Amino acid sequence: LSEWLFEETQVEVDLSLHGAFVTQMANGSLPHEVFQTYFDQDNLYLREYARVFDSLASSARDDEEFMWLTSSALSYLQEHGSTHSRRNISNADFENLAMPVTKRYTSLQLDAAAKGDRLLTFASVLPCQKLYDFVFTTLQEQGVADDNPYKEFIQQYATEEVKESTRKLSAYLDKEAALLDSVDPAGSHHTEERKQEALRMYREAMDLEAAFFQQGFNKPPPPVEPEAKEATEEPNHHPTTAAVAEEEESDDGGSVDVSVWIVAGLVGAAAVVGRLAAKRGPAPRALRDSLL
């Protein structure tokens, strides 16, 4: 089933492969700020993606599957923190900083997981793995210039380890499809209907992959400031130096907002450490240093 799903969604796959983001990354012209936006959103995406794997692990059909899915979930959470300090992302952070495509994509996957539908949940997460395997292997085979700043970023995804992870995740989806056939060996209308549902889920996820890349060209939303607390000072109490400084910053153009984005930018820059071993692999030090 996994191969059939990929073959049936070549139009959506091509939207990513031939889209502006991947095309510019391949020739080295992708603006760093576009890559930065993409990577910051990817960090948010992986936080929710890990939770989907955790849900699948909780209903694993054997110990081997449980261990692989659990390990993958933890790896996603630690992806940007093995070398650099990883920001502890809260639910509020996600709601405030995640862009529309990020929210829509993760909601699609989390909703499938919440319903306990293993076939559709695997169909929602496999496109991410399969697409990165396919796209970056294709770019590597086409050749990447030595002076391309994204060369090592591309190469780290075109590896045998990545392909093995793709095979593993595909096998779990195929196992769920095989269970449909075993329950209904005659191949009833219900079985075909379920496979079509999987195709619809897979296609929507693959479509959102293309939109996720393209989202990098959009300006991220400003972080939402917490509501001001009511003053508790006595009427004649003089404000502290810190309070005065904070008020002055608010009056001269929003320095607080700028500082928040400086921190967010540093977190995003530090995030260029590549995909986890279960999916893509660690970023080489030279690439990481060049993008910081």
Side-chain angles (χ1 to χ4, degrees), residues 124-194:
S124 75
V125 297
L126 179 57
C128 183
Q129 172 68 40
K130 181 69 174 180
L131 185 72
Y132 273 73
D133 181 352
F134 174 75
V135 165
F136 291 105
T137 295
T138 300
L139 296 187
Q140 176 68 10
E141 291 174 348
Q142 291 175 347
V144 183
D146 290 338
D147 61 352
N148 186 325
Y150 302 106
K151 180 177 181 178
E152 293 181 54
F153 183 86
I154 293 169
Q155 288 179 329
Q156 67 176 325
Y157 300 162
T159 65
E160 182 56 36
E161 289 79 8
V162 171
K163 295 185 183 305
E164 177 57 29
S165 293
T166 302
R167 288 192 288 266
K168 196 78 168 178
L169 196 55
S170 297
Y172 289 138
L173 183 146
D174 291 336
K175 182 188 294 185
E176 296 301 318
L179 289 173
L180 289 178
D181 294 333
S182 64
V183 171
D184 190 4
S188 71
H189 175 70
H190 174 71
T191 300
E192 181 59 30
E193 184 178 86
R194 289 284 289 151

Side-chain angles (χ1 to χ4, degrees), residues 17 21-22 25 28 37 43 50 56 61 66 68 75 84 109 122 137 145 163 174 199 227 255 263 279 284:
L17 180 61
F21 185 95
V22 172
M25 176 175 278
T37 297
N43 193 34
L56 285 168
R61 300 189 182 279
F66 173 80
W68 191 84
S75 295
H84 298 279
Q109 297 166 332
F122 276 118
T137 295
K163 295 185 183 305
D174 291 336
L199 175 59
E227 294 183 3
S255 298
V263 173
K279 183 179 180 184

Side-chain angles (χ1 to χ4, degrees), residues 51-256:
R51 284 156 170 75
V52 180
F53 274 69
D54 181 64
S55 177
L56 285 168
S58 70
S59 60
R61 300 189 182 279
D62 55 49
D63 289 347
E64 186 277 336
E65 180 182 333
F66 173 80
M67 289 187 289
W68 191 84
L69 291 170
T70 301
S71 175
S72 296
L74 291 174
S75 295
Y76 284 116
L77 286 178
Q78 299 168 356
E79 176 182 344
H80 304 320
S82 59
T83 302
H84 298 279
S85 297
R86 180 187 182 278
R87 179 183 180 185
N88 183 30
I89 303 173
S90 67
N91 292 337
D93 290 330
F94 182 86
E95 288 303 316
N96 293 338
L97 299 174
M99 295 171 71
V101 176
T102 307
K103 290 182 177 180
R104 182 181 170 189
Y105 197 1
T106 55
S107 292
L108 178 76
Q109 297 166 332
L110 289 167
D111 287 349
K115 294 174 182 176
D117 192 322
R118 286 173 57 81
L119 177 64
L120 295 190
T121 304
F122 276 118
S124 75
V125 297
L126 179 57
C128 183
Q129 172 68 40
K130 181 69 174 180
L131 185 72
Y132 273 73
D133 181 352
F134 174 75
V135 165
F136 291 105
T137 295
T138 300
L139 296 187
Q140 176 68 10
E141 291 174 348
Q142 291 175 347
V144 183
D146 290 338
D147 61 352
N148 186 325
Y150 302 106
K151 180 177 181 178
E152 293 181 54
F153 183 86
I154 293 169
Q155 288 179 329
Q156 67 176 325
Y157 300 162
T159 65
E160 182 56 36
E161 289 79 8
V162 171
K163 295 185 183 305
E164 177 57 29
S165 293
T166 302
R167 288 192 288 266
K168 196 78 168 178
L169 196 55
S170 297
Y172 289 138
L173 183 146
D174 291 336
K175 182 188 294 185
E176 296 301 318
L179 289 173
L180 289 178
D181 294 333
S182 64
V183 171
D184 190 4
S188 71
H189 175 70
H190 174 71
T191 300
E192 181 59 30
E193 184 178 86
R194 289 284 289 151
K195 291 181 178 179
Q196 290 298 322
E197 288 177 356
L199 175 59
R200 286 192 290 272
M201 176 65 76
Y202 192 96
R203 174 171 279 125
E204 183 170 0
M206 196 64 83
D207 196 35
L208 285 167
E209 281 290 331
F212 194 92
F213 282 131
Q214 188 64 26
Q215 183 177 238
F217 292 94
N218 300 331
K219 183 178 180 180
V224 177
E225 292 292 335
E227 294 183 3
K229 296 182 179 179
E230 294 183 4
T232 58
E233 295 84 8
E234 294 297 327
N236 295 326
H237 182 71
H238 295 289
T240 64
T241 302
V244 172
E246 182 177 353
E247 182 177 350
E248 290 175 351
E249 288 179 342
S250 297
D251 290 339
D252 66 7
S255 298
V256 175

